[in-house]
Amino acid sequence: MALREGVRLCPSILNADHAHLSQEIERVAASSDWLHLDVMDNIFVPNQTFSLTESQEIIGLSSLPVDAHLMIANPDEVAVRYAQAGAKSVTFHLEASADPLRTIAAIKENGARAAIAIKPKTLFSEFESLLPEVDMVLVMTVEPGFGGQSFMQEMLPKVELVREVIDRLERDIWLQVDGGISAETIALAARAGADTFVAGSAVYKAESPDAMLRLLRKLAMSASSLE
Ligand code: DX5
Ligand code: ZN
């Protein structure tokens, strides 16, 4: 039987107003479970965002636990520092890692949940064997690098496959989707088996981010029949 307990919403501050981050975080805190922090190095993806020092500041000012999504080269060296900086969940890209098992272990040893992220072109067979080792799998539903892109429906079979394996393992491994999640797409992802949802532009472009998050939660809950 599935161990899914509910849905988790993780607004991404990538496209929030960076000049007023603490207010931007407060706007979503009441209706969210995690704060999703997109770290990009301009090497693994063609965009650059928060440094480790800036990430640490954001972790410090967030009342929500921080879910750090590292879109960086060499995560095997750096991922553990995000756990040490206080991120409660650290996700690194499998495509950038030479030793995922060691990196997963190092993140866990430093008190954070450990997760792997999978780019759209990475096949299920390339990461299936790692599933029992992680606390969460992030199936990207856009090419990583930018907010505001369209949801890739062709990723849904991959989400379904991951869900099948997690259910078979009978382990509480979270299944996250990131990219193009909105009121139009969240039910598709939830129905395919996702239980943890990143949403950037849909939340911060809404007139009321709080109302949008409540709507997203309702849609995800009813699509996964958890209501
Ligand atoms: C993209 C990032 C996402 C981004 C999502 O590479 O990983 O977290 O903020 O933004 P939306 O929801 O606008 O697609
Ligand atoms: Zn992300």
Side-chain angles (χ1 to χ4, degrees):
M1 251 317 277
L3 289 166
R4 291 159 77 190
E5 280 175 359
V7 304
R8 284 163 286 269
L9 291 180
C10 321
S12 158
I13 50 170
L14 182 63
N15 287 333
D17 178 359
H18 289 201
H20 303 100
L21 273 181
S22 123
Q23 291 97 310
E24 291 287 76
I25 296 169
E26 266 328 289
R27 288 170 83 196
V28 299
S31 42
S32 305
D33 303 286
W34 290 77
L35 186 73
H36 185 81
L37 182 66
D38 288 303
V39 176
M40 307 188 191
D41 65 353
N42 212 15
I43 301 169
F44 183 70
V45 287
N47 194 3
Q48 189 148 15
T49 59
F50 312 104
S51 66
L52 178 61
T53 310
E54 288 165 331
S55 300
Q56 199 156 10
E57 281 167 22
I58 294 166
I59 292 165
L61 49 91
S62 175
S63 54
L64 291 167
V66 168
D67 156 37
H69 175 196
L70 308 182
M71 287 160 273
I72 58 171
N74 302 320
D76 300 327
E77 302 304 318
V78 181
V80 67
R81 296 201 207 139
Y82 285 82
Q84 289 160 350
K88 294 282 181 251
S89 176
V90 179
T91 303
F92 63 94
H93 270 269
L94 183 63
E95 301 86 2
S97 171
D99 195 346
L101 281 177
R102 192 170 63 93
T103 303
I104 290 164
I107 293 169
K108 288 182 179 171
E109 277 160 24
N110 281 273
R113 298 175 60 89
I116 49 168
I118 310 297
K119 293 211 288 187
K121 289 194 186 77
T122 302
L123 301 174
F124 176 70
S125 56
E126 295 173 61
F127 63 92
E128 182 179 6
S129 65
L130 282 171
L131 291 181
E133 313 302 328
V134 295
D135 295 305
M136 181 172 81
V137 181
L138 163 52
V139 175
M140 290 301 298
T141 44
V142 297
E143 281 297 338
F146 299 93
Q149 303 182 73
S150 300
F151 180 75
M152 295 171 70
Q153 284 214 33
E154 60 272 37
M155 292 301 113
L156 292 173
K158 199 194 278 185
V159 175
E160 284 166 8
L161 282 171
V162 176
R163 169 52 57 199
E164 269 173 44
V165 174
I166 291 174
D167 286 352
R168 221 182 304 133
L169 289 169
E170 297 195 26
R171 290 262 311 280
D172 187 20
I173 300 165
W174 299 355
L175 173 42
Q176 189 176 49
V177 281
D178 180 6
I181 297 296
S182 68
E184 284 71 46
T185 58
I186 195 165
L188 294 171
R191 220 171 289 134
D195 56 16
T196 307
F197 303 87
V198 178
S201 41
V203 169
Y204 278 105
K205 281 203 182 129
E207 206 175 302
S208 164
D210 182 75
M212 176 54 71
L213 283 156
R214 288 176 201 280
L215 172 64
L216 291 173
R217 186 182 302 277
K218 196 163 169 264
L219 293 167
M221 294 277 281
S222 45
S224 33
S225 325
L226 293 167
E227 214 168 35

